[in-house]
């Protein structure tokens, strides 16, 4: 009698899901190197004789170091933080013996970057449909996002997310955010569920995997670009996906 191949066991869907917004539902802040290079090229004449790519690289390096160590309060002041990081990148270039670039230019470049990010933002293909299907299956859904109240609420409205969730939790509106444990505990309380009933989905390994796992939440890391876990990472998501559509069960 011929043996048939067995499909791997699929984890049953939970009672609730906590879903991140930026770079999980929306293409928002991913691939910053591409964005910084694009903006630096727009300012090429004013940056000369420095090559735009060199300026973009310096700013990105400063920005990554800044955000790796920044206090949570800076998430409420994103435009101001970008002023600081561009000035920091310019200062690093000057310290290396390159032409000194003005603070005025830094502010204009940073503000253009902020506007560009807003212009280029979009909902990932299939994200709306996946959320709607999960909700239709009776799963309780919470949108849990960090950032300033006005900025994040504007995205919720612009991209038609409010009616898709049972609970909307924005850091700037609630006064706390990921990876504070109360961010997850509050969202679960709002949905009336416990950690064993809940999945967390998002793109930030600390915010969407490390802390949720410590609380007993099944944690799914979304790797939209398929880059894989960072080299040397000790974080082990319970599951890795590239799109929210992968969460919807195949009814075929």
């Amino acid at each position: 009698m011929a043996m048939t191949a067995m499909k791997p066991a699929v984890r049953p869907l939970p009672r609730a899901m906590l879903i991140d917004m930026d770079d999980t539902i929306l293409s928002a802040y991913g691939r910053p190197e591409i964005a910084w290079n694009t903006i630096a090229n727009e300012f090429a004449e004013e940056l000369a004789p420095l090559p735009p790519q060199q300026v973009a690289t310096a700013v990105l390096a400063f920005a990554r170091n800044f955000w790796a160590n920044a206090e949570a309060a800076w998430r409420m002041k994103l435009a101001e933080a970008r002023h600081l990081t561009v000035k920091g990148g310019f200062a690093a270039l000057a310290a290396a013996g390159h032409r000194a670039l003005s603070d005025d230019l830094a502010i204009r470049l940073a503000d253009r970057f902020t506007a560009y990010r807003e212009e280029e933002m979009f909902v990932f293909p299939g994200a709306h449909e996946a959320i709607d299907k999960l909700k239709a299956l009776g799963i309780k859904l919470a949108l849990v996002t960090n950032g300033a109240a006005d900025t994040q609420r504007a995205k919720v409205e612009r991209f038609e997310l409010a009616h898709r969730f049972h609970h909307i939790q924005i850091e700037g509106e609630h006064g706390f955010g990921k990876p504070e444990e109360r961010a997850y505990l509050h969202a679960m309380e709002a949905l009336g569920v416990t950690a064993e009933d809940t999945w967390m989905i998002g793109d930030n390994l600390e915010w969407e995997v490390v802390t949720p796992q410590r609380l007993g939440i099944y944690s799914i890391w979304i790797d939209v670009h398929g880059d894989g876990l960072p080299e040397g990472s000790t974080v082990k998501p319970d599951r890795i996906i590239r799109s929210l559509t992968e969460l919807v069960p195949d009814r075929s």
Side-chain angles (χ1 to χ4, degrees), residues 20-90:
D20 173 52
M21 181 167 68
D22 295 320
D23 299 306
T24 297
I25 299 171
L26 309 179
S27 176
Y29 304 122
R31 298 291 201 233
E33 65 281 357
I34 295 174
W36 280 119
N37 273 286
T38 298
I39 299 310
N41 275 304
E42 290 185 11
F43 286 79
E45 287 187 13
E46 292 188 75
L47 296 172
L50 281 167
Q53 185 178 3
Q54 186 175 5
V55 175
T57 299
V59 169
L60 182 61
F62 190 93
R64 281 183 166 150
N65 183 64
F66 173 82
W67 285 114
N69 301 286
E71 295 179 359
W74 281 107
R75 295 198 294 264
M76 305 298 114
K77 303 181 288 185
L78 203 51
E80 188 179 332
R82 287 188 180 132
H83 291 170
L84 191 153
T85 57
V86 177
K87 289 177 183 178
F90 282 10

Side-chain angles (χ1 to χ4, degrees), residues 2 26 48 83 86 103 106 122 124 143 149 178 200 215 232 239 245:
L26 309 179
H83 291 170
V86 177
D103 284 354
F122 63 89
F124 284 124
L143 181 71
K178 301 172 290 187
M200 176 81 225
L215 294 172
R239 182 178 172 188
T245 59

